[in-house]
Amino acid sequence: MSVFSTGFGAAKAILLGEHAVVYGEPAIAAALSVGVTAEARLAPRSSLQLNQPVSKDARAALQRAFERALRCLDIDKVELQLTSEVPIGMGLGSSGALSVAVANALLGLKSQAASRRKHKVLSIALEMEKEFHGTPSGVDHHTSALGGIVTFKNGIARRLTNPRSFTLVAVLAGQRPNTKETVQRLRERQQLWPQRYRRVFREIGQLAKEGVQAIEQGDLEWLGDLFNMNQGLLSALGLSSPNIEEAVYRLRKLGALGAKLTGAGGDGGAVLGLFENPQDAVRKLRGHEVIVAHFKSDTLKPKKHNAVRA
Ligand code: MEV
């Protein structure tokens, strides 16, 4: 058993398929090079620190998630320091990243054998995500743990190849309700009108399936159109808002091939634009909180760092 260990979990952006993925449809997500780092130290008593302010409720959920993780590994007392490079609760997978980071750090204390480690990270992160999301599909923590661009359905993630480079520009469109609440409200609406909601989920799943082909064939115009249609369907599900729509239209006006909310949406959070040449848009967005993530063609040498806060 080690006394000190660190772990990292990548933030993510969902390109297509959020919410429908909770109902068994496929989604596509991409890991960012920025995320959450966890430093864990065996100590006389447990404590938890985070480098960003969060609401009282979020803090309580974090504490419960941490306790779940300790129970999973039968570890008693740990001092945990969390450093997030992404804004918490804005749709960029901070809770999935945090769960993967904590799982990695705690497993480091236990000196877990490498062969079992990936499986263990996923199972501990899932336990923690239940505290944050209620009924997580698993797309966030799988993407965080696996890295790269992935398609995910029903607990199984597969890495995609992208022959053409692209850039995602995420603009923050204000505060939003937590994911658990937004997912629960949507569940209540779909329970009232299951058939109609199911039709929309299926259509979103269809967009994600096409998205896999668009990415693997390097057809960014196709992918952009899928972003736009997905945004329309998320709006039909009641997950958009004036803040979000404003950011979507701004990104499209700045040349995005497509733009949509990413993550749970609801009333704000991150909005994603797909670009081939983002320089002009990023310059014009100066003064706004923006995260820029480059995904180099994987026929070129992979680049370790894909995301920066601009
Ligand atoms: C949240 O990042 C993505 C949602 O689809 C919820 C989930 O998949 O668990 C909204």
Side-chain angles (χ1 to χ4, degrees), residues 12 14 17-22 91 93 133 135-140 179 183 263-264:
K12 64 84 185 80
I14 296 185
E18 49 273 272
H19 287 288
V21 69
V22 175
H133 281 201
T135 52
S137 67
V139 63
D140 291 9
T179 299
V183 168

